[in-house]
């Protein structure tokens, strides 16, 4: 059986963008975004750093590549959309698929939490048309599903913004660090309540234990339904 290539043995000719991004994603999952650099990634792949510039134009290119890898994994898990139906249940089917897409983003975010901040920051830095194709396909999917969920074309952009903001915002709040000292069993110390003045921040102190718990998929689904109910209804 041939020996599997590993760090230090991988040949440049075997590189591909998919391999480079998959290796970058694994590195970030394992050690965080601060560990990612062209040199470190090259060492993981067993090549010279210059060999990577064919696949990513520097650190920003790698960061955009992580977003690309995230959405490519999402689309692969969801599979292609079927043709739009003309039956009375088409609207319900569109809504169900939107739920599946939102839950897919949630689950993938919990699997790759280090990448989640990039879903916001790289969108601030990269114009729409310059985003990776996987990202654009995910955007298109949401717009298609909004239409199938009964959202009128003239209301789709606002609905798209609301749904996207809800899903990404929900995930960011889910992953927000709350616990101060993870190994400490005493709640006051565990949540660092001594750092928050009781007279100034009473509600935040009281909410800290609950905020440390993930709300899960039920809250995400409830908020998504509320938005769809609002935008699928005739404008007032």
């Amino acid at each position: 059986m041939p020996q599997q290539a590993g760090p230090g043995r991988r040949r440049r000719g075997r590189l591909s963008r998919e391999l480079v991004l998959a290796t970058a994603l694994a590195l970030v999952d394992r050690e965080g975004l601060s560990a990612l650099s062209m040199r470190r990634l090259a060492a993981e792949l067993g090549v010279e750093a210059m060999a990577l510039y064919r696949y990513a134009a520097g650190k920003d290119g790698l960061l955009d590549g992580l977003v690309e890898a995230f959405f490519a994994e999402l689309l692969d898990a969801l599979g292609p959309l079927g043709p739009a139906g003309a039956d009375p249940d088409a609207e319900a089917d569109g809504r169900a698929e939107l739920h599946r897409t939102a839950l897919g983003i949630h689950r993938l975010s919990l699997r790759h939490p280090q990448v989640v901040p990039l879903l916001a920051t790289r969108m601030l830095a990269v114009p729409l048309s310059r985003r990776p194709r996987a990202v654009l396909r995910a955007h298109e999917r949401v717009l298609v599903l909004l239409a199938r969920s009964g959202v009128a074309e003239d209301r789709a952009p606002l609905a798209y913004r609301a749904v996207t903001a809800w899903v990404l915002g929900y995930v960011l709040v889910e992953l927000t660090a709350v616990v101060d000292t993870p190994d400490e069993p005493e709640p006051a110390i565990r949540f660092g309540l001594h750092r928050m003045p009781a007279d100034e921040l009473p509600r935040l102190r009281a909410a800290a234990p609950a905020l440390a718990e993930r709300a899960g998929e039920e809250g995400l689904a409830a908020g998504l339904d509320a938005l769809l109910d609002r935008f699928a209804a005739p404008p007032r």
Side-chain angles (χ1 to χ4, degrees):
M1 178 180 294
Q3 190 175 23
Q4 185 176 2
R9 288 197 299 270
R10 196 180 304 281
R11 294 181 298 179
R12 183 178 301 182
R14 300 187 64 183
L15 285 180
S16 66
R17 181 167 174 81
E18 292 74 16
L19 175 61
V20 169
L21 296 184
T23 305
L25 183 58
L27 173 61
V28 168
D29 284 344
R30 188 173 68 247
E31 301 183 31
L33 281 170
S34 61
L36 183 64
S37 68
M38 299 295 275
R39 181 173 297 180
R40 177 63 192 282
L41 182 56
E44 289 282 310
L45 290 162
V47 298
E48 296 294 328
M50 289 301 297
L52 300 182
Y53 283 88
R54 177 180 177 186
Y55 308 99
K59 179 68 175 287
D60 283 348
L62 288 179
L63 296 179
D64 290 337
L66 290 175
V67 177
E68 176 183 348
F70 181 98
F71 279 103
E73 187 174 338
L74 173 70
L75 293 172
D76 185 62
L78 293 173
L81 287 175
D87 59 89
D89 295 327
E91 185 172 316
D93 289 344
R95 181 178 287 222
E97 192 60 37
L98 254 180
H99 272 274
R100 200 166 76 91
T101 301
L103 295 181
I105 293 173
H106 182 266
R107 293 167 186 172
L108 203 57
S109 296
L110 299 184
R111 192 179 310 159
H112 304 299
Q114 296 291 330
V115 178
V116 171
L118 298 177
L119 304 183
T121 59
R122 295 314 299 167
M123 299 303 176
L124 294 174
V126 182
L128 178 65
S129 64
R130 295 178 184 269
R131 294 172 191 170
R133 184 60 59 86
V135 178
L136 297 179
R137 288 174 55 213
H139 296 338
E140 177 74 9
R141 184 187 188 97
V142 172
L143 287 166
V144 168
L145 291 175
L146 285 171
R148 294 188 185 184
S149 299
V151 176
E153 186 175 354
D154 62 338
R155 308 186 80 197
L158 185 57
Y160 168 83
R161 288 179 174 178
V163 167
T164 301
W166 169 246
V167 175
L168 293 184
Y170 189 92
V171 167
L172 285 169
V173 172
E174 284 276 80
L175 295 174
T176 297
V178 176
V179 176
D180 186 71
T181 311
D183 297 328
E184 174 56 56
E186 171 57 41
I189 300 176
R190 176 177 171 81
F191 300 115
L193 301 186
H194 59 289
R195 304 179 191 278
M196 295 186 282
D199 58 341
E200 184 182 351
L201 306 168
R203 293 183 183 275
L204 185 59
R205 282 171 57 100
L211 291 175
E213 300 294 329
R214 288 178 178 157
E217 297 178 352
E218 184 177 351
L220 176 63
L224 182 59
D225 272 332
L227 286 171
L228 293 176
D229 288 344
R230 174 67 179 85
F231 283 104
R236 296 174 183 176

